[in-house]
Amino acid sequence: MSEIKIQHEYDGKRGSFYLEEGAKRFAEMVYVMAGPKKMIIEHTEVDDSLQGQGVGLKLLKELVDYVRKEEIKVIPLCPFAKAMFKKKEELQDVLN
């Protein structure tokens, strides 16, 4: 896989930050909006071929950049996201 380019899709209620090559989705962080300014991170999944490359954290950082711009607060129900927020103090400003 070449350069990692995170993409974002959102349908007005649910969305995800994801990494796709060809027609295959290799990683994604799924969220649902719990109001206009509140986001719940539900699930993160990274393909085995990308394990250990920091892809999950890249997804989270893209999400954090997005919610900062949009002034949205985050509730991480996903165990991975919750652990990363605990570890990375510089991301905690977006927590609800």
Side-chain angles (χ1 to χ4, degrees):
M1 179 165 290
S2 52
E3 174 196 349
I4 292 176
K5 182 172 177 358
I6 306 297
Q7 298 175 73
H8 181 213
E9 63 184 8
Y10 176 56
D11 69 7
K13 178 77 177 139
R14 308 180 62 80
S16 69
F17 287 84
Y18 63 96
L19 175 60
E20 203 171 72
E21 192 160 286
K24 181 169 170 41
R25 198 165 276 205
F26 284 90
E28 87 179 321
M29 181 171 283
V30 179
Y31 66 85
V32 62
M33 295 304 292
K37 294 292 178 187
K38 197 170 287 180
M39 174 190 285
I40 297 169
I41 302 174
E42 292 184 323
H43 177 71
T44 305
E45 196 167 329
V46 176
D47 190 82
D48 289 344
S49 67
L50 297 174
Q51 293 297 324
Q53 295 181 40
V55 174
L57 183 57
K58 284 188 176 91
L59 292 170
L60 182 61
K61 285 182 173 177
E62 284 288 325
L63 181 143
V64 167
D65 287 347
Y66 172 76
V67 299
R68 281 181 179 145
K69 272 187 233 124
E70 301 295 322
E71 298 179 5
I72 295 170
K73 289 297 183 185
V74 174
I75 302 165
L77 294 186
C78 160
F80 170 80
K82 194 178 271 189
M84 285 295 111
F85 275 117
K86 206 172 244 167
K87 223 195 258 184
K88 306 277 182 192
E89 277 184 42
E90 70 273 16
L91 304 178
Q92 294 174 2
D93 61 294
V94 301
L95 293 176
N96 190 47

